[in-house]
Amino acid sequence: MNFVVKTIANAGALAVAVWLLDKITLTGDSTGRKVGTLLLVAVVFGLVNAVVKPLVQILTFPLFILTLGLITLVVNALMLLLTSWLADKLDLSFHVEGFWTAVLGALIISIVSWALSVVLPDTD
């Protein structure tokens, strides 16, 4: 159940980022197809954050200390770019154009995902 809640929160956060930023695109011919694609991208994003992000955080730990945690935003942006690349390889219509768009998108996704995780139930 926790995985479903986190996936819904990620999908909602990704939807807000798509809505706010022109250079993060989600295309589809119908609303249902867009929602399905968004849910699949949210699963990919969750897997990237569960598998790759901890390794990157360990490798960037000295930078984390040096920058007082600001490197986390760069790491989150790189995870969003990796998700965009994987979505392209999986033929999902989700794309993030550029590093700075990914940084802003990562900030939006972090804030919205946190807010949704507060509101949504967190049961196992």
Side-chain angles (χ1 to χ4, degrees), residues 3-4 6-12 14-15 18 25-27 31-49 79-80 82-95:
F3 176 75
V4 173
K6 286 185 179 186
T7 301
I8 292 171
N10 279 338
L14 286 165
V18 167
T25 57
L26 176 72
T27 56
T31 303
R33 184 153 173 90
K34 286 182 181 179
V35 169
T37 301
L38 199 57
L39 287 172
L40 289 173
V41 170
V43 168
V44 171
F45 187 64
L47 290 173
V48 165
N49 281 329
M79 296 305 108
L80 186 57
L82 179 60
T83 300
S84 175
W85 180 78
L86 287 171
D88 183 49
K89 295 299 177 192
L90 295 171
D91 202 28
L92 299 172
S93 57
F94 176 79
H95 181 68

Side-chain angles (χ1 to χ4, degrees), residues 10 13-15 17-18 21 23-24 41-42 44-45 48-49 52-53 72-88 94-110:
N10 279 338
L14 286 165
V18 167
L21 300 174
K23 293 187 178 182
I24 297 179
V41 170
V44 171
F45 187 64
V48 165
N49 281 329
V52 178
K53 189 175 179 180
T72 303
L73 190 56
V74 173
V75 169
N76 288 344
L78 293 174
M79 296 305 108
L80 186 57
L81 284 172
L82 179 60
T83 300
S84 175
W85 180 78
L86 287 171
D88 183 49
F94 176 79
H95 181 68
V96 178
E97 184 180 324
F99 175 75
W100 293 110
T101 302
V103 169
L104 190 53
L107 182 62
I108 291 168
I109 290 168
S110 295

Side-chain angles (χ1 to χ4, degrees), residues 46-67:
L47 290 173
V48 165
N49 281 329
V51 175
V52 178
K53 189 175 179 180
L55 298 172
V56 173
Q57 285 178 328
I58 290 170
L59 294 174
T60 60
F61 185 71
L63 288 173
F64 180 81
I65 292 171
L66 187 65
T67 63

